[in-house]
Amino acid sequence: MKSTIAARGVEKSFGRRPVLRGVDLEVPAGALVAVVGENGAGKSTLLKILAGTLAADAGGVELHGTLGYCPQEPVLNGALTVGQHLRYFAAAYRLSSLDRAEELLDALHFGGYRDRPVEELSGGTRQKLNLTLALVHDPAVLLLDEPYQGFDWETYLRFWELVDGLRERGRSVVVITHLVFEEERFDRLYRLREGRIDA
Amino acid sequence: MPERPLARQFPTALVFALRNQARNRLAWILLAAFVPAWYGLMAALIPHDPLTYRLFSSGRLLRVDGRHLGLVTAGMNSLTLIVGFAVFAAIRRALPLDRRLVFAGYRQSLLVGAKALATAVVAVVVALYATVVLLAFWRPAAAGFAAVFAAFALMALEYGALGLLLGVLVKGDLEGFFLIIMGGLTDTFLQNPVGNPVANKPILQWFPSFGPMQFAGGGAFGGGPSWLGLGLGLAWAAAFAALALVVFQRRTRSRRHAHTSAGEPSSASRLTSAA
């Protein structure tokens, strides 16, 4: 099956400390892939390189289609409301409607917070908005860095329903996490250890 | 999904940039309390003694009322602090989200252009306020009032643009606040001949507040407005804003070696090792 995003021989060092020592990874269309590893294994570095927010020292990443990236810490503006964030990102992605955003607000159950500034929201609701902003343009590949931190159980289940819906429509999802509760959910599991992938 | 023209990005960014500026409570408090208090202190401390003020564009030496000149300097001084601080704080606070917006497909020039326009709007409005409050302490003629307003707006533009630059440049809040406060204090103090032996010396021409002070001095105390001063002030503001644009471009660029953004459909984009 054709891959939507693939990394080949990705290397990255910070100063003299090598973090990634030649990582290969491939994500087929419609697949749910996990990259797991202990704290400091280089997971977030790998995801940033996949997302294009960080340059690799060597190797390359190939992307087919659009990309959505959800960083681990919510990147939001406390002064703006949920609705204003959605309008801002609709302009960024050049969308003509917010229909998909409305669907996501419903799916994650936080439509009631539309007019609330982000600084008044709980950590879990911020995380929902953080995720929504990576999804409003319906990307072909979704990169998620520890996406369910701060979610309660019900939201955790809704999150997986959302991911299942994405896969049914042929979208790929890459989840980076230090803990995998349910390995059977994933089509592929990459273990990152000392800067390399263990098959 | 049908696409909206790229032109939507500018008005959207402008509205949110203005909103960000307007939400700075400390800046509102400083405007309401600090500006009149600072004028009041100057009016109470500086006598009406005549002072010599050099107008560099014509070489003329003007005899001016020391208190009036002190009030103009006080207004400029408060503008450097308030506008510089408000713009710096708003730009810095928004920077992580801006990076994400650019990554999502926002055009950097439109985003930073909207911020620059919002900064100009804030600068002119705050300058008008500072000029109106000045009337409680000194009533210049209409032409003098207009010259002081224009000079205040020029000064606010310069320090607003400096706030924009520092907002995208410095790593921490403290560095930015320190640079704005010390820069503004030093700059405006040097231009003021009240108790300052350096005033009226040619070296002053190399400081940002020189242009606005010359424009205010010529327009409000006779001798005609200094168009050189106006040009210098605008050049400083434009230079700070242009530098801010360059730094912003560098700090928010995507590392993906591709001509498409995350939001655009693309056949394939590729990241090879960093150059």
Side-chain angles (χ1 to χ4, degrees):
Chain A
M1 190 183 269
K2 194 178 152 195
S3 69
T4 45
I5 193 164
R8 316 236 183 267
V10 168
E11 294 177 18
K12 181 73 184 173
S13 299
F14 291 110
R16 286 184 184 174
R17 191 171 62 90
V19 176
L20 301 176
R21 305 162 188 254
V23 171
D24 294 303
L25 174 149
E26 198 159 338
V27 182
L32 171 61
V33 169
V35 178
V36 296
E38 293 172 359
N39 294 330
K43 303 184 298 293
S44 292
T45 302
L46 175 61
L47 203 70
K48 283 176 188 162
I49 290 172
L50 288 176
T53 61
L54 187 69
D57 296 336
V61 172
E62 196 165 301
L63 168 72
H64 295 271
T66 51
L67 180 82
Y69 169 48
C70 181
Q72 185 174 359
E73 292 296 323
V75 176
L76 307 166
N77 184 333
L80 300 181
T81 65
V82 168
Q84 287 164 346
H85 275 86
L86 297 177
R87 273 165 46 211
Y88 223 160
F89 277 77
Y93 293 126
R94 298 167 212 181
L95 306 177
S96 59
S97 86
L98 283 171
D99 294 350
R100 178 64 179 150
E102 292 297 331
E103 283 174 28
L104 293 164
L105 288 181
D106 284 345
L108 292 169
H109 269 228
F110 73 119
Y113 295 98
R114 195 181 277 104
D115 299 322
R116 293 269 292 274
V118 162
E119 62 200 2
E120 292 176 11
L121 301 179
S122 70
T125 311
R126 285 179 200 201
Q127 189 60 6
K128 289 180 188 178
L129 178 59
N130 194 37
L131 176 63
T132 300
L133 296 182
L135 270 171
V136 282
H137 60 310
D138 200 14
V141 189
L142 179 63
L143 304 178
L144 303 170
D145 197 347
E146 305 279 4
Y148 27 79
Q149 273 185 353
F151 282 172
D152 54 29
W153 181 246
E154 196 185 328
T155 310
Y156 177 79
L157 296 177
R158 285 183 193 285
F159 165 79
W160 284 115
E161 280 174 24
L162 188 66
V163 168
D164 289 341
L166 291 173
R167 292 170 68 198
E168 280 166 19
R169 291 190 295 117
R171 309 294 189 249
S172 312
V173 180
V174 180
V175 173
I176 278 208
T177 179
H178 62 286
L179 282 174
V180 176
F181 297 114
E182 299 156 288
E183 287 196 14
E184 66 281 3
R185 281 189 185 275
F186 295 92
D187 299 309
R188 271 186 202 185
L189 211 81
Y190 288 101
R191 290 187 195 280
L192 194 59
R193 197 170 292 157
E194 292 175 2
R196 288 195 182 86
I197 294 277
D198 289 351
Chain B
M1 204 176 286
E3 291 193 357
R4 225 157 38 159
L6 184 65
R8 280 297 311 157
Q9 290 191 348
F10 188 80
T12 306
L14 181 63
V15 168
F16 291 136
L18 283 169
R19 196 184 172 80
N20 248 347
Q21 299 280 0
R23 280 184 63 95
N24 189 331
R25 279 201 202 102
L26 181 58
W28 284 109
I29 292 169
L30 285 172
L31 274 179
F34 180 73
V35 172
W38 197 222
Y39 280 139
L41 195 66
M42 286 294 135
L45 292 178
I46 303 176
H48 284 288
D49 297 348
L51 279 173
T52 304
Y53 183 73
R54 179 184 293 274
L55 208 58
F56 281 82
S57 56
S58 62
R60 278 180 62 185
L61 286 174
L62 302 176
R63 297 286 286 169
V64 304
D65 181 311
R67 178 177 295 176
H68 295 163
L69 189 65
L71 284 168
V72 171
T73 317
M76 298 245 183
N77 187 220
S78 50
L79 284 168
T80 63
L81 299 182
I82 295 169
V83 177
F85 155 72
V87 172
F88 169 77
I91 297 293
R92 250 188 80 71
R93 193 171 46 192
L95 197 60
L97 188 71
D98 288 340
R99 201 174 282 134
R100 194 172 178 185
L101 283 164
V102 169
F103 180 75
Y106 233 102
R107 188 163 285 179
Q108 289 160 304
S109 54
L110 294 178
L111 200 53
V112 84
K115 286 173 190 295
L117 183 58
T119 300
V121 170
V122 168
V124 171
V125 170
V126 173
L128 182 62
Y129 166 80
T131 319
V132 170
V133 175
L134 178 68
L135 291 177
F137 302 92
W138 171 40
R139 296 281 172 101
F145 176 84
V148 171
F149 166 56
F152 276 10
L154 199 57
M155 191 73 172
L157 276 174
E158 284 184 55
Y159 274 79
L162 179 64
L164 186 66
L165 173 60
L166 294 176
V168 296
L169 183 68
V170 301
K171 292 260 191 268
D173 283 341
L174 276 179
E175 291 103 302
F177 292 142
F178 180 82
L179 285 168
I180 286 167
I181 291 169
M182 291 313 291
L185 279 176
T186 314
D187 187 19
T188 46
F189 168 76
L190 290 175
Q191 305 289 339
N192 185 359
V194 181
N196 167 29
V198 189
N200 296 332
K201 296 283 190 297
I203 190 171
L204 294 181
Q205 296 174 65
W206 302 103
F207 288 84
S209 68
F210 174 78
M213 267 310 283
Q214 286 286 304
F215 194 82
F221 303 117
S226 162
W227 301 115
L228 171 75
L230 182 72
L232 278 174
L234 288 173
W236 272 103
F240 284 145
L243 268 175
L245 173 66
V246 173
V247 174
F248 185 82
Q249 296 266 18
R250 284 190 65 84
R251 292 199 65 183
T252 58
R253 71 185 159 168
S254 166
R255 304 303 178 132
R256 208 172 323 123
H257 177 68
H259 46 81
T260 53
S261 68
E264 290 176 275
S266 64
S267 52
S269 55
R270 186 186 295 272
L271 173 90
T272 44
S273 57

